[in-house]
Amino acid sequence: MTENPTNGDEGNGGAVPAPRDTGGEVIRVRKGMFGANNGGDTSGYGGLIRTVTLPGAASRPYGGWFDEVADELEGALEEQDLLPANAIEKTVVDRDELTFHIAREHLVQVARTLRDDPALRFELCTGVSGVHFPGDQGRELHAVYHLRSLTHGRIIRLEVSAPDSDPHIPSLAAVYPTNDWHEREAYDFFGLVFDGHPALTRIMMPDDWQGFPQRKDYPLGGIAVEYKGAQIPAPDQRRSYS
C-alpha cells in the first residue's frame, strides 16, 4: 500500500524519486572513465556506460508543503498578470527537494514574489551555483539559486538555464544583496553574465585569464601553470589515457 506523503513542513514526506535511468531528460551517454578512449584505458573501467539524465517534471500532488508553495507562487504571479506557465518552465521534485525551473526573463519577478509574498517569505538566498552541461543543447549553462524561508522553515531552489552562445541571466543582487559576490564567482568560473550586476568582475582568476575554468570544455587535468618562473606543462600534456 502506498502512503500519500503529507507530513507538513518535513519535506515531501519521504517520497522516493524514480531512479534517474527510468525517466527524465537524457543529455549525454558517458563511456569509460577519466576521459579514456580508443583502448588506452588502464583503469579497468573502460566498459562503463553511464547515462547522464536530468530529472523530469513532477506531477501533482507533489506532497507535503510543496503543493502549498507551488499554489501560492502561481496565485501570486497571476495577481501580477503573469501566467505561471510562462514563468515556470517545469517543477521538479527529486530527492525530497523542490525546484522551480524559471524562464530567465521572469527570474527577477519570480524571486521578488518569493521573497515578499507573506505566504511564501523566502527571505534568504544562500548562493547561486553555476553548472555546465555541454550535452544539454541550447541550455548548456545553468544557474541554481538556493532559497530559504526563515519565517516558514522551508528550503526550495530556482534553476535558470542559458545557452553557451548567449550566457545572459538577470542579476538578483537587487533582490538578494548577498548574491553580489556569488554571481561574481559564477561569472568568473562559468562565464554566466548576470545582467544588471553592479560590478561584474573576476573574483578568483586573474583579470587577463582566458576562458572559464569550471566549464566542462577544458581537458582533464586543467591548464598549464607558471611556478617561480618555470613553465610546467598541463597534466593532459604530460600524460594521457588515450
Side-chain angles (χ1 to χ4, degrees), residues 12 21 27 47 55 69 76 88 92 101 105 107 110 112 117 129 143 164 169 180-181 199 212 220 233:
N12 75 340
D21 57 356
I27 61 170
V69 169
I88 304 172
V92 172
H101 288 247
E105 63 268 23
L107 174 63
V110 170
R112 187 175 287 113
D117 190 280
S129 303
D164 275 338
I169 293 175
D180 185 338
W181 291 90
F212 306 99
L220 182 67

Side-chain angles (χ1 to χ4, degrees), residues 65-92:
W65 55 265
F66 291 177
D67 290 281
E68 179 184 342
V69 169
D71 289 340
E72 293 290 350
L73 176 59
E74 291 175 6
L77 294 178
E78 288 176 345
E79 291 175 359
Q80 301 172 57
D81 297 323
L82 175 59
L83 289 176
N86 291 340
I88 304 172
E89 296 176 338
K90 69 176 179 178
T91 301
V92 172

Side-chain angles (χ1 to χ4, degrees), residues 152-171:
H152 301 292
R154 297 168 174 173
I155 299 174
I156 65 171
R157 296 188 300 183
L158 302 182
E159 187 164 341
V160 183
S161 61
D164 275 338
S165 59
D166 181 24
H168 291 264
I169 293 175
S171 172

Side-chain angles (χ1 to χ4, degrees), residues 3-153:
E3 185 177 349
N4 185 29
T6 55
N7 292 350
D9 283 8
E10 298 300 322
N12 75 340
V16 179
R20 289 293 179 93
D21 57 356
T22 62
E25 304 172 59
V26 177
I27 61 170
R28 186 181 178 188
V29 177
R30 299 181 63 180
K31 298 181 179 180
M33 201 169 187
F34 308 118
N37 52 59
N38 298 327
D41 184 7
T42 60
S43 68
Y45 291 98
L48 282 179
I49 298 177
R50 179 175 178 266
T51 301
V52 181
T53 307
L54 300 181
S59 56
R60 299 265 195 165
Y62 303 140
W65 55 265
F66 291 177
D67 290 281
E68 179 184 342
V69 169
D71 289 340
E72 293 290 350
L73 176 59
E74 291 175 6
L77 294 178
E78 288 176 345
E79 291 175 359
Q80 301 172 57
D81 297 323
L82 175 59
L83 289 176
N86 291 340
I88 304 172
E89 296 176 338
K90 69 176 179 178
T91 301
V92 172
V93 177
D94 185 62
R95 287 159 173 75
D96 205 24
E97 295 179 334
L98 176 64
T99 304
F100 295 109
H101 288 247
I102 306 299
R104 55 180 170 170
E105 63 268 23
H106 298 301
L107 174 63
V108 174
Q109 185 174 356
V110 170
R112 187 175 287 113
T113 300
L114 286 165
R115 185 194 66 182
D116 295 343
D117 190 280
L120 297 168
R121 292 297 289 157
F122 286 90
E123 309 100 327
L124 177 65
C125 180
T126 59
V128 54
S129 303
V131 189
H132 188 216
F133 292 115
D136 195 11
Q137 296 296 321
R139 51 181 190 181
E140 292 86 358
L141 291 167
H142 293 238
V144 183
Y145 301 84
H146 312 272
L147 305 185
R148 179 184 293 271
S149 171
L150 304 178
T151 299
H152 301 292

